[in-house]
Amino acid sequence: MSLLANVLGFSLFGLAARFGQLGIQKRNLFTNPGGHLLAMGVFGYGGYWAYKWDIRAAELLAAKRAQITERRQKQIEQSAAAEGSE
């Protein structure tokens, strides 16, 4: 998922949450657009953070998989060398 799609999706969720909040309070939905923008900005920043975390987590997982593969190869080579010496 792209960064723009992630931020926009979270922002729209923030707008929906704001509308839901005002709907529960039975207030007019369009009286304070600044509140809507604030909610969209906060949730959009959450989407940006989630995107960055997803990228970082993928990098960490790739590095860990490479370490595990390297360790397995060393174990295979050691067991093959131990069988060959016997």
Side-chain angles (χ1 to χ4, degrees), residues 81-86:
E83 287 177 4
S85 65
E86 290 179 4

Side-chain angles (χ1 to χ4, degrees), residues 14-79:
L15 182 63
R18 176 74 174 156
F19 281 157
Q21 174 191 24
L22 293 176
I24 289 172
Q25 295 176 355
K26 296 185 179 180
R27 292 173 45 197
N28 188 358
L29 299 179
F30 300 107
T31 55
N32 186 9
H36 301 325
L37 292 176
L38 180 67
M40 290 177 71
V42 169
F43 276 83
Y45 178 71
Y48 173 78
W49 182 82
Y51 176 81
K52 291 296 184 181
W53 174 253
D54 188 38
I55 298 298
R56 179 70 179 136
E59 291 171 358
L60 291 172
L61 285 173
K64 193 57 146 172
R65 284 186 182 125
Q67 287 177 355
I68 290 171
T69 303
E70 182 181 329
R71 229 181 285 141
R72 285 181 183 166
Q73 288 297 328
K74 285 181 182 179
Q75 287 177 348
I76 291 170
E77 290 171 2
Q78 289 174 354
S79 66

